[in-house]
Amino acid sequence: MNSDHARQIAQGLPPERRVIDVGGGGAPFWRADWVVDAIPFDAAGKLARDTHGGEPPRYRKETWVEVDLCDRTAWPFDDSQFDFAICSHLLEDVRDPIWICSELTRIAKAGYIEVPSRYVEQSLGVEHPRFAGYYHHRWLISVEEGELVFRHKPHLLHVTWDAIVADLGVSRRINPAHEITTLFWTETLHVRESLEFDERRVVDELIAFARSSRGIDDLVVSQNRTLVDRLRRARYFRRLAKGKR
């Protein structure tokens, strides 16, 4: 979760407001009173950077619920039990984000969504010189007129050059200002899956997004890496390009 957003949200929540972090087990939001995730409490915080900001967490082992978030069984919480729900860097990973969003709307009165931007997911060199975005992400997610829209991230994206937003190489990155897509919602979280089964139209949409994105002046910036780090990354990318780990 973006650290600046985490601080702003925490500062805006009075102490009595009940907060849940949905799927934040790798880096739980310290202000959350409850956490629901597929990983156990003992694994908390081991998958990503700390988001506590130096504050002691409010959640405890007793308020940590371990479930498969996508098994189409209602989560063990009452309707509108929580005043605010955080769902950060989860929806792009899971097999059924629409179900998760429906449960978010059921158990919480308002919330905050954060996912990687399509600029990231359609760029080479984020993790691999030949693949776009993050290898394990299933969805391209955007906010369109206040609605969260999910598009399947197709395998052909990686080999469709015109659909690539940027080739980042070893020394560049997507500007942090454009790395994430966010949405604050109240009462109802509007979501839909963009269903498209025609390959040509899927490709055309990917290409159209990439072309419009390349016109953003500050989309790509230099990586703040030492010379040694750049050399290590260059060597690593050369190995990946040859099919080696």
Side-chain angles (χ1 to χ4, degrees):
M1 182 176 177
N2 179 278
S3 57
D4 290 335
H5 292 187
R7 285 193 296 271
Q8 292 169 7
I9 292 170
Q11 291 169 0
L13 288 168
E16 68 274 12
R17 295 291 175 86
R18 294 167 296 180
V19 179
I20 186 169
D21 187 337
V22 175
F29 182 42
W30 71 268
R31 176 57 182 81
D33 304 283
W34 288 75
V35 177
V36 57
D37 200 285
I39 69 173
F41 174 78
D42 293 339
K46 295 182 179 179
L47 302 180
R49 67 182 184 278
D50 171 60
T51 59
H52 291 178
E55 298 287 344
R58 288 173 51 132
Y59 60 85
R60 309 179 306 281
K61 189 169 186 177
E62 294 76 22
T63 61
W64 186 286
V65 179
E66 183 183 346
V67 298
D68 178 350
L69 293 165
C70 294
D71 71 356
R72 287 272 166 173
T73 300
W75 302 340
F77 305 109
D78 295 333
D79 293 357
S80 301
Q81 179 173 337
F82 299 98
D83 297 294
F84 200 83
I86 295 289
C87 186
S88 176
H89 294 272
L90 169 74
L91 298 176
E92 69 275 11
D93 296 318
V94 296
R95 65 186 184 274
D96 195 349
I98 304 297
W99 167 257
I100 288 179
C101 289
S102 70
E103 280 295 276
L104 278 169
T105 299
R106 182 183 68 81
I107 68 171
K109 301 171 185 175
Y112 169 77
I113 303 289
E114 181 176 307
V115 296
S117 70
R118 285 189 64 175
Y119 308 124
V120 170
E121 294 294 350
Q122 287 186 225
S123 289
L124 301 179
V126 176
E127 285 188 322
H128 194 289
R130 293 183 177 176
F131 302 148
Y134 293 94
Y135 82 94
H136 60 293
H137 290 173
R138 303 168 185 244
W139 302 96
L140 302 172
I141 308 173
S142 55
V143 175
E144 301 175 17
E145 298 182 352
E147 186 177 46
L148 205 59
V149 180
F150 295 86
R151 290 178 173 84
H152 168 63
K153 184 179 177 181
H155 299 301
L156 57 77
L157 167 62
H158 307 294
V159 293
T160 306
W161 179 251
D162 287 343
I164 298 301
V165 170
D167 186 353
L168 301 174
V170 299
S171 60
R172 302 192 304 164
R173 65 180 292 183
I174 297 297
N175 188 329
H178 300 296
E179 280 185 329
I180 58 174
T181 294
T182 64
L183 177 67
F184 284 92
W185 60 273
T186 303
E187 295 183 358
T188 301
L189 174 57
H190 297 283
V191 301
R192 67 178 170 88
E193 180 181 355
S194 178
L195 295 172
E196 180 55 73
F197 305 105
D198 182 88
E199 180 181 344
R200 185 66 260 167
R201 285 197 287 266
V202 169
V203 172
D204 287 346
E205 194 281 332
L206 292 170
I207 292 174
F209 179 84
R211 285 176 176 167
S212 66
S213 301
R214 295 185 201 119
I216 300 174
D217 291 336
D218 62 345
L219 183 64
V220 176
V221 296
S222 297
Q223 284 271 27
N224 185 22
R225 297 179 183 272
T226 66
L227 177 60
V228 172
D229 286 341
R230 290 200 299 272
L231 291 173
R232 286 174 178 169
R233 185 171 175 84
R235 184 166 61 247
Y236 176 61
F237 268 30
R238 283 197 297 271
R239 288 175 59 83
L240 291 178
K242 294 178 181 179
K244 301 177 180 179
R245 279 282 173 182

